Amino acid sequence: MNLNKDITILAIETSCDETSAAVVRNGRHVLSNVISTQIDIHKKFGGVVPEVASRKHLENVNIIVQEAMQQAGIKLEEIDAVAVTSGPGLVGALLIGLTTAKALAYSINKPLIGVNHIEGHIAANYIQHKELQPPFVCLVASGGHSHIVKVADYDSFDILGKTRDDAAGEAFDKIARALGLGYPGGPLIDKLSAEGNPAAIGFPRVFLEEGSYDFSFSGLKSAALNYLNSMKMKEEKINVADVAASFQAAVVEVLAEKLVRAAAEHNSKYAVLAGGVAANSKLREELQRLGNQRGIEVLYPSPILCTDNAAMIGSAAYYRFIKGTSSDMTLNARPNLTIGESV
Ligand code: KG4
Ligand code: ZN
């Protein structure tokens, strides 16, 4: 592989409710990152409706790709590879991105590179922190996943811990719905928590067995729902901001403590955050505090790179491309793909 040449990758991401296309150069320089979110459409249903998501991706994907190319000032002939999320995600949504990417790669006779969405979230940090290189320890927390991962190399991951039930973002979304805040819940709880008292309600902090890096949020979720039900039964007024802040504090304390401990125990200079929940302001603050105490540098991407976007897919794809890894036209959607599993 001639690394003296710039490598320009067109990336497509359609795994959930964002249609996104990006042009990324040499894995770290974003020439464009266009994101069309469907949040307003799914909001009325209180969550993502898979069939509606696929339909909207189909309507938008070509326009978004064109816009990404235009903003980057790039012609199709200048693209070295086409990258696409092949999983995990909603099968119908993934298939729209995959079909589009295959058609484009075929038409310009350039490699197709399938990317694992979770690995994409981690790669968002390479865009944000130009000096960051593996190995490091990372917490990936989003609507569908919560993993603590040792990133041994750009394409090599050891899972140190993961959720045994709900993902962290999913817990935020469910409690937000119970509080009548809307969808997606994470940003709404984050915002409202600033007005609440995090010590108002003593929700459980579930650390599991000594030394475990796994998570469990279902007990906390039940405790919050039981609290809301019992208040309603007693006809007592619920302070929504206090519930939000107390719930957020319980999630954040466990995530931050486990990540910093994992980083310390695996001699990682950095504790890195990735995924939608990485945008949480309290999580960033708490991590910073624990990181300072233990001499570990805390890194996270800017909010736009935390939630789903194609630039992170373009970054992850670059490190596959320079190793000569690509996919063929049989690349298929893998809704349940886990981290480290080849696409
Ligand atoms: O990575 P992402 O955009 O999609 C998935 O791959 O799942 O993550 C979306 C999740 C949602 O559950 C959303 O509520 C959560 O990330 N989220 C947040 C915040 N922003 C997004 N959770 C807590 N605090 C936030 N500020
Ligand atoms: Zn995601």
Side-chain angles (χ1 to χ4, degrees):
M1 190 67 49
N2 175 10
L3 285 182
N4 293 324
K5 178 191 176 301
D6 280 335
I7 302 299
T8 307
I9 293 184
L10 168 65
I12 299 173
E13 153 67 43
T14 62
S15 67
C16 191
D17 59 349
E18 264 90 32
T19 316
S20 181
V23 179
V24 181
R25 185 157 285 163
N26 300 333
R28 304 217 180 207
H29 301 281
V30 178
L31 304 187
S32 64
N33 187 22
V34 180
I35 305 165
S36 163
T37 181
Q38 305 173 3
I39 284 178
D40 279 344
I41 298 160
H42 298 287
K43 233 183 206 164
K44 10 183 200 305
F45 306 105
V48 179
V49 183
E51 279 306 317
V52 176
S54 314
R55 196 174 295 244
K56 287 289 153 195
H57 285 309
L58 185 58
E59 280 172 23
N60 290 336
V61 70
N62 288 332
I63 304 164
I64 299 301
V65 168
Q66 253 172 31
E67 206 170 312
M69 297 292 291
Q70 229 161 46
Q71 282 187 18
I74 287 281
K75 296 195 206 69
L76 267 180
E77 311 84 82
E78 296 170 79
I79 295 291
D80 295 294
V82 182
V84 63
T85 305
S86 55
L90 303 168
V91 64
L94 289 165
L95 283 170
I96 306 295
L98 274 161
T99 315
T100 311
K102 282 183 190 178
L104 279 166
Y106 184 76
S107 71
I108 58 174
N109 197 21
K110 290 286 162 64
L112 173 74
I113 303 175
V115 173
N116 181 319
H117 180 80
I118 316 178
E119 295 173 17
H121 273 302
I122 296 171
N125 282 284
Y126 301 136
I127 296 171
Q128 190 74 42
H129 307 288
K130 308 285 185 231
E131 76 294 353
L132 178 65
Q133 288 179 358
F136 57 85
V137 169
C138 182
L139 165 69
V140 199
S142 68
H145 5 87
S146 297
H147 289 86
I148 293 186
V149 185
K150 179 162 182 195
V151 182
D153 202 345
Y154 289 102
D155 60 352
S156 166
F157 307 87
D158 300 323
I159 299 176
L160 304 179
K162 60 177 188 241
T163 184
R164 294 183 187 172
D165 38 60
D166 290 354
E170 191 181 355
F172 271 100
D173 294 339
K174 285 179 178 164
I175 297 308
R177 192 182 313 169
L179 288 171
L181 296 178
Y183 173 85
L188 300 165
I189 289 193
D190 192 355
K191 194 155 170 249
L192 189 61
S193 293
E195 296 158 33
N197 172 9
I201 307 140
F203 288 136
R205 272 70 171 152
V206 181
F207 284 97
L208 301 169
E209 314 81 63
E210 169 114 31
S212 171
Y213 295 123
D214 279 355
F215 302 107
S216 169
F217 296 110
S218 65
L220 168 62
K221 186 186 68 188
S222 302
L225 295 176
N226 289 343
Y227 171 83
L228 292 175
N229 282 337
S230 79
M231 291 294 277
K232 275 182 200 147
M233 304 267 274
K234 290 188 271 180
E235 294 183 354
E236 285 182 37
K237 192 175 174 321
I238 295 167
N239 183 326
V240 179
D242 279 354
V243 180
S246 301
F247 169 79
Q248 177 175 269
V251 176
V252 159
E253 217 175 281
V254 175
L255 291 176
E257 205 282 325
K258 292 208 179 210
L259 172 58
V260 172
R261 184 164 53 81
E265 287 173 3
H266 287 82
N267 301 316
S268 174
K269 189 175 158 201
Y270 304 110
V272 180
L273 269 182
V277 181
N280 186 271
S281 58
K282 187 75 189 164
L283 178 59
R284 292 168 171 221
E285 194 185 301
E286 180 63 8
L287 269 175
Q288 207 65 65
R289 193 181 68 77
L290 295 180
N292 288 348
Q293 270 176 12
R294 301 187 72 154
I296 288 169
E297 200 173 326
V298 174
L299 301 178
Y300 39 76
S302 65
I304 198 70
L305 290 172
C306 286
T307 43
D308 292 348
N309 68 88
M312 67 186 196
I313 303 303
S315 175
Y318 169 77
Y319 292 99
R320 306 219 160 234
F321 182 89
I322 59 175
K323 282 197 171 172
T325 312
S326 64
S327 313
D328 63 28
M329 290 293 162
T330 62
L331 181 68
N332 207 348
R334 304 272 306 274
N336 299 317
L337 195 68
T338 192
I339 190 158
E341 239 184 336
S342 59
V343 295

